[in-house]
């Protein structure tokens, strides 16, 4: 993944602003980070791999809050694991990403996010993520996710101490979308994800991530 740095004065140093992942919100490749873009920035991204194309419009609503509207074309997928595969689906989804804490010398930046909370549920997930800059060129990110981000090497929900309702995640019939499905937020198994960013030159940034997404709607 290539990323250009806008300020020559910051050459060789990793930039403070977040990159945008394949979902179009602040992140690495597929996974999120705890960074944000410039206030009031409007961005449009297109990503394609295997059997899906994601077209996303993202707006940095405030210095801490960004919102994304995504329109995706998907082939050979199912809306949830209990439904049959379909040849073609047009999918609309929304995401919110909020930075809870700024990065300081003694602590990382921390953010929380909701994906596909007002759509069909194909990309439905939630996360809490932290990012810390280590030296001038390196940034490390780690987080915990639910839903699609709670699949690979998942474990019992650490929020279960708040009540039994957090132990399982209901499979919702959201084929029509247009509903805010709060009953599955931060429910069910959780999993860890993470990644690193390295600013190799003033024009080249190298990114690697550990993904917790098993692609349950796409994997037959």
């Amino acid at each position: 993944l290539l990323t250009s740095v806008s300020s020559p004065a910051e050459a060789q140093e990793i930039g403070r602003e977040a990159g945008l992942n394949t979902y179009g919100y602040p992140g690495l490749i597929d996974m999120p980070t705890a960074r944000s873009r410039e206030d009031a920035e409007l961005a449009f991204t297109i990503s394609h791999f295997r059997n899906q194309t994601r077209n996303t419009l993202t707006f940095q609503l405030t210095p801490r809050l960004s919102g994304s509207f995504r329109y995706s074309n998907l082939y050979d997928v199912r809306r949830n694991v209990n439904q049959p595969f379909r040849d073609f689906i047009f999918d609309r989804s929304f995401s919110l990403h909020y930075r809870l804490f700024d990065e300081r010398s003694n602590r990382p930046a921390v953010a929380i996010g909701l994906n596909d909370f007002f759509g069909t549920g194909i990309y439905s997930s939630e996360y809490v993520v932290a990012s810390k800059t280590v030296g001038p060129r390196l940034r490390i990110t780690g987080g915990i996710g639910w839903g699609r981000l709670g699949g690979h090497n998942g474990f019992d929900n650490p929020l279960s101490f708040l009540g039994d309702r957090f132990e399982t995640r209901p499979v919702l019939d959201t084929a029509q979308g247009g509903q805010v499905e709060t009953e599955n937020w931060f429910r069910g198994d959780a999993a860890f994800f993470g990644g690193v960013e390295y600013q190799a030159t003033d024009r080249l940034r190298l990114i690697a991530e550990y993904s917790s997404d098993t692609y349950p709607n796409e994997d037959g």
Side-chain angles (χ1 to χ4, degrees):
L1 182 64
L2 302 179
T3 303
S4 60
V5 179
S6 59
S7 174
E10 293 182 352
Q12 308 301 321
E13 293 189 5
I14 192 163
R16 290 174 295 177
E17 294 78 24
L20 299 175
N21 63 15
T22 61
Y23 288 95
Y25 62 83
L28 300 166
I29 302 172
D30 268 2
M31 299 297 102
T33 67
R35 313 298 296 184
S36 301
R37 298 295 299 176
E38 289 285 348
D39 187 22
E41 178 183 274
L42 181 67
F44 178 73
T45 61
I46 299 176
S47 66
H48 175 81
F49 67 99
R50 196 180 175 185
N51 59 345
Q52 52 190 289
T53 302
R54 301 170 185 162
N55 309 280
T56 309
L57 186 68
T58 297
F59 183 55
Q60 192 68 38
L61 300 162
T62 73
R64 295 182 179 272
L65 176 66
S66 64
S68 302
F69 170 73
R70 187 176 308 101
Y71 195 81
S72 305
N73 304 328
L74 304 102
Y75 302 84
D76 298 324
V77 298
R78 51 192 173 187
R79 291 196 183 277
N80 64 55
V81 295
N82 294 330
Q83 293 185 354
F85 283 87
R86 298 177 58 176
D87 292 337
F88 189 79
I89 293 176
F90 287 112
D91 181 71
R92 296 183 302 274
S93 58
F94 298 85
S95 299
L96 289 175
H97 176 91
Y98 184 76
R99 193 177 74 257
L100 294 169
F101 303 111
D102 296 333
E103 181 176 339
R104 296 285 186 264
S105 59
N106 60 348
R107 75 176 187 205
V110 178
I112 188 171
L114 300 171
N115 293 323
D116 202 359
F117 65 94
F118 194 62
T120 60
I122 290 178
Y123 294 137
S124 178
S125 62
E126 305 82 44
Y127 59 85
V128 177
V129 61
S131 297
K132 185 72 172 70
T133 304
V134 182
R137 300 191 188 188
L138 182 67
R139 181 178 296 134
I140 300 174
T141 290
I144 181 172
W146 292 261
R148 280 192 67 123
L149 299 182
H152 184 61
N153 290 329
F155 48 83
D156 291 342
N157 194 339
L159 298 178
S160 296
F161 75 93
L162 296 175
D164 293 343
R165 66 186 184 278
F166 286 94
E167 294 180 358
T168 59
R169 188 180 186 93
V171 178
L172 302 175
D173 183 11
T174 56
Q176 301 302 317
Q179 304 177 65
V180 179
E181 304 290 353
T182 60
E183 60 264 39
N184 69 338
W185 290 2
F186 301 96
R187 308 292 174 87
D189 287 352
F192 292 119
F193 61 86
V196 295
E197 303 168 78
Y198 180 72
Q199 196 72 43
T201 72
D202 61 343
R203 294 182 179 274
L204 176 64
R205 181 176 299 179
L206 305 178
I207 298 175
E209 70 174 23
Y210 171 79
S211 174
S212 57
D213 188 352
T214 59
Y215 288 84
N217 298 74
E218 297 86 352
D219 187 2

